[in-house]
Amino acid sequence: MQRLSVDEARDRLSDALDAGADREVARLVPLLPSHDVERLLPELDARRLGVLFRAMGDEWLASVVSELDPGIAARLLVRLTDVQAADVLEEMPPDEAADVVGELREEAREEVLAEMEREEAADIRELLEYPPETAGGRMTPEFAALRDSMTVDDALQFLRRAGKAADAVFYLYVTDDGGRLAGVTTLRDLVLSPGSRLVAEITKREVVSVQDSDDQEHAARVLRESGFLAVPVLGPDRRMLGLITADDVAEVIEEEASEDIERLGGSQPLEEPYLTASLWHLFRKRILWLLVLFAAHAYTGNVLQHYQGEVAVVVALVVFIPLLIGTGGNTGSQVVTTLVRAIAVGEVQMRDIFRVFTRELVVGSMLALAMGIVAFVRALTLGVGPGIAEVVALTAFCIVTWSALVASVLPLLLKRVGLDPAVASGPFIATVVDGTGLVIYFSIAKVLLGI
Amino acid sequence: MQRLSVDEARDRLSDALDAGADREVARLVPLLPSHDVERLLPELDARRLGVLFRAMGDEWLASVVSELDPGIAARLLVRLTDVQAADVLEEMPPDEAADVVGELREEAREEVLAEMEREEAADIRELLEYPPETAGGRMTPEFAALRDSMTVDDALQFLRRAGKAADAVFYLYVTDDGGRLAGVTTLRDLVLSPGSRLVAEITKREVVSVQDSDDQEHAARVLRESGFLAVPVLGPDRRMLGLITADDVAEVIEEEASEDIERLGGSQPLEEPYLTASLWHLFRKRILWLLVLFAAHAYTGNVLQHYQGEVAVVVALVVFIPLLIGTGGNTGSQVVTTLVRAIAVGEVQMRDIFRVFTRELVVGSMLALAMGIVAFVRALTLGVGPGIAEVVALTAFCIVTWSALVASVLPLLLKRVGLDPAVASGPFIATVVDGTGLVIYFSIAKVLLGI
């Protein structure tokens, strides 16, 4: 059989799904990159999806669905029969399955859960109690817990029986009769110890853990700093509820970075992938900040109206307005994004505010000096004469310094009052410094030009 | 002993380090949050650092140094004796140790490597051959490889001997005589199988892997999509060289997100943490883009000079310049940041360019309509009369649509020509649309007002 290109495979797969040709589907799907499959899936109708399910099986479908956004995965599952959907959910890690079930409507949710194995449905119900952004909402409740009193042989026997529930175990947690976390050991230590030894003897008592109600970002940071591949999630009274693993952390970091990036760009974060989000969703996430920024920016009109007399006298001043306020906005944008990120990764904290301010004062002045010189040269090349060129140069210096200073304190102040520092977006800081920049410009012009 | 607050502990630790009081240091350090310790460390001189080393030991110091930026860690190591530095490096994961050694000057590097155990020094030398942003530069070369012909008992025996080298093993890789990857099994399967069974029988032959020369971002994505906790890194001829683990992935994702965020804010990414980067470093990373944007923005001066006649006739037009071009910039910033992120996480690819364009055309028009209405109202409240208000409203509509469209294609086009899409930053797009926005504004004004 000749080797198919990805494009050919994609076309043929489409035909095979239409024709219900299971075996052809099973041959073609592995030829496509996983991203292609993830994008194809949400577009299939119930009949084609049924063909794919028959051809590839529930385990394969579960692995693809796990990669989808939960909202999209939910819309896909309702196109399967309840039994098929339950099979797929059973094959998924419970934390991800819970995210998807959480997106289903109440009735659909109950119908699917009713078709699932009792124990797995119970896991999902429990996870659904937690807000999705908490450690509890992110954890997988599947773990095998040992007891201090077991021997190494007992423990191995126990793990053998636990079977699938102990699927990805490397760390083995030890709990007491009340299910409270009592220590941790590793599969490796178990394997390398004599069979008659007690678990208690190979157990470490200090365990890095998080609370079920902790923010997922906090949990991710704890795991990152611990250098381990998993941390246990504890409920009240140190009862062990589940695990957060390093791959959850990668997901959390990616999600949180995406949110910060969209906020820094001046919109509310999307809750769905860009290409599949509805146009109305995109509109809603953008219009709020556009209006807020417009309202905040509107006072530039008042500022300019106030200086209309000066503008009429020296029309040439107008020529430099966009350039000067643009440069101020650019400086501010550089500073806020750097700081918002430094705060997000924990490099900068509230108590550094004075240090940040003095650093930005120095760096801002250096940048201001450079930009002042450049602005002076630019003004001369536009042939405005040395008087106005001096005004432009001095304004550039003042605006750049001023922007850097405002931007240096804004993110930490926002955090202080309980807001997300990323609200201090590029567009936000530009809006703040545009109006004040105009006041600086015309004040300098009035003094130096005597108008 | 009464419970100390963090602030008290910090103060006392400082005194204890001055006094060389090892035991007091050993008591106080665990009371501080890890971030505090990471920030304290780079500030210590050689004598205090020596006290800390004696008090806490090489293993503790290694765990802290692993969390530091490699450049800072290197500057810290040179303040230890070569023997101490070698001890610390030996306790670190080899990939992280290599990053730090890579930051040392040539002579210092050789002196420290000479003090290390031969094998561990060799690992580091090998890793130093790879650019740090590749899978090879990121991998840990410590892994235990089994053979198909081993029995389960042989394999367990082998792992016991391998000792520390098999520290965090969960997956066990199987290689052939040439060191080529032949399959994968798990410690769990090994433990749960009868001792006389052959490793070959419990080995899976399809293994998700990456090449040593692959970009670390690609490797991170492969591991993320596989859902595993580690992937093997292969050299030419499928020879297995090392492992990339899920905690490496979290680090890569965090680093790459930081770079994108700083680029999107309009500066070059910092290579060191914000608070410890030199002021000169901060200056250098910002000045380039400020100058480029200034140069690109400078033509707004020419545009305004061109329309100086119109401005002189209708001075009121000036009042709306910052507001209109600011709104255009904000829209553009929203679109580019959303798209740059969607491209970075693989949601949007080159072949989606037409789809993205049409989505932004529709959403952009919706936003433009809303902003046009708002701009009309704002113009009237400034008392400019309906003629100018109509110009302002129509301009707002056109600028918002125009910005959305430019921003919709720019990131993908940049990627197409081999540049980082994040170069299409908020400030960049604002610069592009400011000048064109002014042309739109005055063109509309000339037609509607007949000037």
Side-chain angles (χ1 to χ4, degrees):
Chain A
M1 188 183 303
Q2 91 279 23
R3 183 114 182 87
L4 291 174
S5 77
V6 169
D7 284 329
E8 287 166 333
R10 202 184 298 126
D11 292 343
R12 291 206 192 176
L13 177 59
S14 170
D15 294 342
L17 285 169
D18 285 348
D22 295 13
R23 293 185 56 178
E24 177 76 354
V25 170
R27 185 179 76 86
L28 290 166
V29 167
L31 300 179
L32 291 178
S34 60
H35 254 295
D36 267 52
V37 177
E38 281 161 36
R39 293 171 56 152
L40 171 73
L41 229 53
E43 291 163 10
L44 297 179
D45 59 20
R47 198 181 59 79
R48 289 185 182 80
L49 204 55
V51 175
L52 195 65
F53 183 91
R54 280 206 313 276
M56 305 299 297
D58 50 5
E59 203 170 325
W60 176 87
L61 201 55
S63 76
V64 183
V65 169
S66 294
E67 288 301 315
L68 295 177
D69 174 80
I72 295 174
R75 289 203 287 279
L76 189 149
L77 283 193
V78 294
R79 271 175 275 150
L80 292 171
T81 67
D82 286 340
V83 177
Q84 286 173 334
D87 285 348
V88 170
L89 288 170
E90 282 170 7
E91 293 294 332
M92 289 171 65
D95 50 336
E96 291 176 12
D99 289 345
V100 176
V101 174
E103 296 284 333
L104 293 172
R105 261 182 319 206
E106 195 63 31
E107 323 89 275
R109 191 185 295 183
E110 285 311 316
E111 280 166 24
V112 171
L113 286 173
E115 292 296 335
M116 289 181 68
E117 302 274 337
R118 183 120 54 102
E119 202 177 320
E120 280 159 351
D123 275 351
I124 289 177
R125 280 181 212 276
E126 198 182 321
L127 288 173
L128 283 175
E129 301 288 311
Y130 291 101
E133 310 252 301
T134 61
R138 179 66 65 169
M139 73 186 175
T140 169
E142 285 182 349
F143 63 94
L146 306 179
R147 294 295 167 87
D148 272 332
S149 55
M150 288 176 170
T151 63
V152 166
D153 275 341
D154 292 342
L156 288 172
Q157 199 86 50
F158 171 79
L159 289 177
R160 211 160 282 152
R161 277 202 315 275
K164 192 169 167 266
D167 220 12
V169 280
F170 174 66
Y171 302 112
L172 297 169
Y173 297 93
V174 179
T175 55
D176 66 14
D177 292 340
R180 285 181 292 269
L181 182 65
V184 63
T185 184
T186 64
L187 186 54
R188 176 174 169 274
D189 285 339
L190 204 64
V191 170
L192 303 188
S193 300
S196 59
R197 203 144 173 208
L198 283 178
V199 165
E201 294 173 64
I202 57 168
T203 293
K204 228 187 79 188
R205 296 301 164 185
E206 298 106 54
V207 190
V208 177
S209 64
V210 296
Q211 258 338 97
D212 55 353
S213 55
D214 283 346
D215 189 88
Q216 61 175 359
E217 218 173 335
H218 172 76
R221 199 144 297 284
V222 168
L223 179 45
R224 278 268 282 128
E225 289 182 4
S226 74
F228 297 129
L229 290 172
V231 286
V233 179
L234 306 184
D237 205 23
R238 291 187 62 76
R239 207 163 65 81
M240 178 155 173
L241 302 174
L243 276 181
I244 288 192
T245 52
D247 52 330
D248 295 324
V249 167
E251 216 170 292
V252 170
I253 291 176
E254 193 161 282
E255 275 178 26
E256 302 280 348
S258 289
E259 281 181 20
D260 274 2
I261 285 174
E262 296 189 28
R263 280 208 189 91
L264 284 169
S267 41
Q268 294 175 276
L270 298 182
E271 279 142 32
E272 293 180 34
Y274 173 78
L275 277 187
T276 47
S278 72
L279 298 177
W280 178 240
H281 187 86
L282 294 180
F283 177 81
R284 275 193 303 119
K285 293 301 175 185
R286 293 182 189 164
I287 189 67
L288 178 71
W289 270 112
L290 278 188
L291 288 174
V292 169
L293 294 170
F294 186 92
H297 215 159
Y299 78 107
T300 58
N302 300 74
V303 172
L304 284 169
Q305 215 166 35
H306 176 78
Y307 290 110
Q308 214 153 1
E310 286 77 11
V311 169
V313 176
V314 192
V315 178
L317 284 177
V318 173
V319 168
F320 300 98
I321 288 177
L323 186 57
L324 288 171
I325 62 179
T327 300
N330 293 343
T331 309
S333 171
Q334 290 183 331
V335 177
V336 280
T337 43
T338 301
L339 287 178
V340 165
R341 187 57 182 167
I343 294 170
V345 300
E347 278 171 27
V348 167
Q349 290 155 44
M350 193 62 210
R351 65 180 146 101
D352 301 311
I353 192 162
F354 184 70
R355 200 160 151 206
V356 170
F357 183 81
T358 51
R359 287 172 76 81
E360 292 303 335
L361 179 64
V362 179
V363 178
S365 308
M366 290 158 68
L367 293 167
L369 196 64
M371 298 318 290
I373 294 168
V374 175
F376 186 74
V377 173
R378 171 59 184 158
L380 289 180
T381 63
L382 276 170
V384 293
I388 292 182
E390 275 168 33
V391 172
V392 170
L394 190 56
T395 304
F397 179 87
C398 293
I399 284 185
V400 168
T401 311
W402 166 243
S403 294
L405 293 185
V406 173
S408 71
V409 293
L410 207 55
L412 282 168
L413 290 183
L414 283 169
K415 182 161 187 183
R416 183 56 177 259
V417 298
L419 291 173
D420 186 335
V423 164
S425 60
F428 184 85
I429 193 82
T431 300
V432 172
V433 298
D434 274 7
T436 45
L438 288 171
V439 173
I440 293 173
Y441 185 32
F442 285 102
S443 303
I444 291 176
K446 281 177 83 164
V447 172
L448 289 196
L449 301 178
I451 48 177
Chain B
M1 187 183 302
Q2 90 280 26
R3 184 117 180 85
L4 290 175
S5 76
V6 169
D7 283 330
E8 287 166 333
R10 201 184 298 126
D11 291 343
R12 291 206 192 175
L13 177 59
S14 169
D15 295 341
L17 285 169
D18 286 347
D22 295 14
R23 293 185 57 178
E24 177 76 355
V25 169
R27 186 179 75 88
L28 290 167
V29 167
L31 300 179
L32 291 178
S34 59
H35 253 296
D36 266 52
V37 178
E38 281 161 35
R39 294 170 54 153
L40 172 72
L41 228 52
E43 291 163 9
L44 297 179
D45 60 21
R47 197 181 60 81
R48 290 185 182 79
L49 204 56
V51 175
L52 195 65
F53 183 91
R54 280 206 314 275
M56 305 299 298
D58 51 4
E59 202 170 325
W60 176 87
L61 201 55
S63 75
V64 183
V65 169
S66 294
E67 289 301 315
L68 295 177
D69 174 81
I72 294 174
R75 288 204 288 280
L76 188 149
L77 283 192
V78 293
R79 271 175 276 149
L80 292 170
T81 66
D82 286 341
V83 177
Q84 287 173 334
D87 285 347
V88 170
L89 288 169
E90 282 170 7
E91 293 295 332
M92 289 171 65
D95 50 336
E96 290 175 13
D99 289 345
V100 176
V101 174
E103 296 285 334
L104 292 172
R105 260 182 319 209
E106 195 64 32
E107 322 91 271
R109 189 185 296 182
E110 285 312 315
E111 280 167 22
V112 171
L113 285 172
E115 292 295 336
M116 288 181 68
E117 302 275 336
R118 183 117 56 99
E119 202 177 320
E120 279 159 351
D123 275 351
I124 289 177
R125 279 181 213 278
E126 198 182 322
L127 288 173
L128 284 174
E129 302 287 310
Y130 292 100
E133 311 253 300
T134 60
R138 178 67 65 170
M139 73 187 175
T140 169
E142 286 182 347
F143 63 94
L146 306 179
R147 295 296 169 86
D148 272 332
S149 55
M150 287 175 171
T151 63
V152 167
D153 275 340
D154 292 342
L156 288 172
Q157 197 86 52
F158 171 79
L159 289 177
R160 210 160 285 153
R161 276 203 315 274
K164 191 171 167 270
D167 219 11
V169 278
F170 173 66
Y171 303 112
L172 297 168
Y173 298 93
V174 179
T175 56
D176 67 12
D177 292 340
R180 286 180 292 268
L181 183 64
V184 63
T185 184
T186 64
L187 186 54
R188 176 173 170 274
D189 285 339
L190 205 62
V191 170
L192 304 189
S193 300
S196 59
R197 202 144 173 209
L198 283 178
V199 166
E201 295 173 62
I202 56 168
T203 293
K204 227 186 79 190
R205 295 302 164 185
E206 298 105 56
V207 190
V208 177
S209 64
V210 297
Q211 256 342 95
D212 56 352
S213 56
D214 283 346
D215 188 88
Q216 61 176 0
E217 219 173 334
H218 171 76
R221 199 144 296 283
V222 168
L223 179 46
R224 278 268 282 129
E225 289 181 3
S226 74
F228 298 129
L229 289 172
V231 287
V233 179
L234 306 184
D237 204 22
R238 291 188 61 76
R239 206 164 65 82
M240 177 152 174
L241 302 173
L243 275 181
I244 288 192
T245 51
D247 53 327
D248 295 325
V249 167
E251 214 169 295
V252 170
I253 291 177
E254 192 160 284
E255 275 178 26
E256 303 280 348
S258 289
E259 281 181 20
D260 274 2
I261 285 174
E262 295 189 27
R263 280 206 189 91
L264 284 169
S267 43
Q268 294 175 276
L270 298 182
E271 279 142 32
E272 294 180 33
Y274 173 78
L275 276 187
T276 47
S278 72
L279 297 177
W280 178 241
H281 187 86
L282 293 181
F283 176 81
R284 275 193 301 117
K285 293 302 174 184
R286 294 183 188 163
I287 189 67
L288 179 71
W289 271 112
L290 278 188
L291 288 174
V292 169
L293 293 170
F294 186 92
H297 215 159
Y299 78 107
T300 57
N302 300 75
V303 172
L304 284 169
Q305 216 167 35
H306 177 78
Y307 290 109
Q308 214 155 3
E310 286 78 9
V311 169
V313 176
V314 193
V315 179
L317 284 177
V318 174
V319 168
F320 301 98
I321 288 178
L323 186 56
L324 288 170
I325 62 179
T327 300
N330 293 344
T331 310
S333 171
Q334 291 184 329
V335 177
V336 279
T337 43
T338 301
L339 287 178
V340 165
R341 186 57 181 168
I343 294 170
V345 300
E347 279 171 26
V348 167
Q349 290 155 43
M350 193 62 210
R351 64 179 146 101
D352 301 312
I353 193 162
F354 185 69
R355 199 161 150 205
V356 170
F357 184 82
T358 50
R359 288 173 73 81
E360 292 303 336
L361 180 64
V362 178
V363 178
S365 308
M366 290 158 68
L367 293 168
L369 195 64
M371 299 317 290
I373 294 169
V374 175
F376 185 74
V377 173
R378 170 60 185 157
L380 288 181
T381 64
L382 276 170
V384 292
I388 293 183
E390 276 168 32
V391 172
V392 170
L394 189 56
T395 304
F397 179 86
C398 294
I399 284 186
V400 169
T401 311
W402 167 243
S403 293
L405 293 185
V406 173
S408 71
V409 293
L410 207 55
L412 282 167
L413 290 183
L414 283 170
K415 184 164 186 177
R416 183 56 178 259
V417 298
L419 290 172
D420 185 333
V423 163
S425 59
F428 184 84
I429 193 82
T431 300
V432 172
V433 299
D434 275 6
T436 46
L438 289 170
V439 174
I440 292 173
Y441 185 33
F442 285 102
S443 303
I444 291 176
K446 280 177 84 164
V447 172
L448 289 195
L449 302 178
I451 47 177

